Amino acid sequence: MDFPSSFLNKINTAKKIAVLTGAGVSRESGLDTFRDVGGYWSKYNPYELASPQGFLKNPLLVWQWYQARRNRAKEAEPNPGHLALAQMEKLFPEFYLFTQNVDGLHFRAGSQNVYELHGNIFKSHCFSCGASYDIDFEIGESIDTIPNCPRCNGLIRPSVVWFGESLPFDILSLAYETSRSCDLFFTIGTSSEVYPAADLPYQAKSKGAYVVEINPNETSFTRYADLSIREKSGEILPKILDTIKEIKII
């Protein structure tokens, strides 16, 4: 693919890179987005499965839902897009990857500087006291299989951001700071509809960063992007990686 000279020039001069990835990147590894999940779980209102109120009302149902998602995430493999981003990280002085995905695939691909805006499906914490746990709980058909906190006996819940909850303050603050100070910003596989993450490319653009959008579909941000590429991330990111390597070698 022939990239515009403006993009090539920015690659050559950029020191600080910010990346935002969304559900489309995980979809290319075979994982359904939250809104696309069908079958058995489609009969439930999302708030029943992903809200504090839903968890307190029926913790077994919520845990079974997340157990099913965990199992799918374990079976999935990082795709070429994940792998290309992990390699890109090594080619710039500063590289920050912010993701809305909770499946951990960026880490498995080898990325180091990853910040999970919406949490991680493989981590848990106590609903009452907040104690963190990295245990891979196995949830069965009985209420007795729901894990309780050894410290306070409260219910342990998945460490993901639910409806009505705020994103982690430290990570969100870093995301805003990085977006406002980067040279080059990539928004990849995200619908640009879920805030506050959807605001990050606008922040980058407002401060003069060169913003690249990668998405098979047009989004509300498309008209503001300096470069908008209508391809899957797993197809275009390896090409961008090769181009970066060529420029850096030269």
Side-chain angles (χ1 to χ4, degrees):
M1 178 176 178
D2 293 326
F3 296 108
S5 59
S6 58
F7 178 50
L8 300 179
N9 291 334
K10 183 56 65 174
I11 288 174
N12 189 41
T13 60
K15 303 298 182 183
K16 187 173 186 178
I17 313 299
V19 178
L20 172 66
T21 63
V25 178
S26 293
R27 186 188 295 117
E28 293 179 39
S29 287
L31 295 177
D32 293 323
T33 68
F34 185 87
R35 293 172 176 78
D36 292 338
V37 174
Y40 175 80
W41 298 105
S42 63
K43 64 183 179 181
Y44 293 100
N45 184 305
Y47 285 88
E48 294 180 76
L49 304 173
S51 72
Q53 296 81 3
F55 180 72
L56 291 176
K57 181 179 180 180
N58 195 336
L60 179 60
L61 175 69
V62 173
W63 259 116
Q64 288 174 334
W65 154 244
Y66 279 95
Q67 181 73 58
R69 293 185 65 195
R70 280 183 171 189
N71 291 341
R72 289 290 307 280
K74 288 178 185 177
E75 296 169 358
E77 294 293 336
N79 62 59
H82 291 110
L83 299 173
L85 287 171
Q87 293 301 309
M88 285 172 59
E89 180 178 356
K90 303 174 183 178
L91 301 176
F92 294 95
E94 294 185 77
F95 191 95
Y96 299 82
L97 200 168
F98 299 95
T99 185
Q100 296 169 281
N101 301 328
V102 299
D103 48 51
L105 286 176
H106 283 300
F107 285 111
R108 288 172 56 191
S111 290
Q112 301 293 318
N113 214 22
V114 181
Y115 299 91
E116 296 170 310
L117 292 163
H118 293 170
N120 188 303
I121 201 170
F122 294 105
K123 297 180 180 179
S124 310
H125 66 273
C126 177
F127 191 92
S128 299
C129 73
S132 299
Y133 298 95
D134 286 329
I135 303 171
D136 189 9
F137 298 107
E138 286 295 329
I139 309 301
E141 299 298 321
S142 167
I143 192 75
D144 297 331
T145 61
I146 298 175
N148 289 91
C149 177
R151 299 185 185 183
C152 72
N153 202 41
L155 290 173
I156 294 176
R157 53 160 284 182
S159 292
V160 295
V161 178
W162 283 337
F163 292 112
E165 295 182 326
S166 299
L167 274 61
F169 177 78
D170 55 342
I171 295 178
L172 184 60
S173 296
L174 179 63
Y176 268 90
E177 176 188 336
T178 304
S179 300
R180 291 167 178 161
S181 59
C182 67
D183 306 305
L184 178 58
F185 188 103
F186 290 91
T187 173
I188 308 171
T190 175
S191 64
S192 296
E193 295 178 0
V194 180
Y195 282 79
D199 188 40
L200 298 179
Y202 291 99
Q203 293 294 321
K205 181 71 175 178
S206 71
K207 296 300 181 179
Y210 190 99
V211 183
V212 179
E213 179 187 58
I214 299 173
N215 199 312
N217 305 308
E218 185 174 336
T219 74
S220 59
F221 182 76
T222 298
R223 59 177 173 162
Y224 300 103
D226 294 287
L227 174 62
S228 187
I229 303 174
R230 300 273 75 77
E231 291 192 39
K232 293 181 178 180
S233 59
E235 296 174 356
I236 193 62
L237 282 173
K239 298 176 183 177
I240 292 177
L241 173 63
D242 289 341
T243 300
I244 294 174
K245 287 181 176 178
E246 291 175 5
I247 292 176
K248 294 296 183 181
I249 290 174
I250 294 173

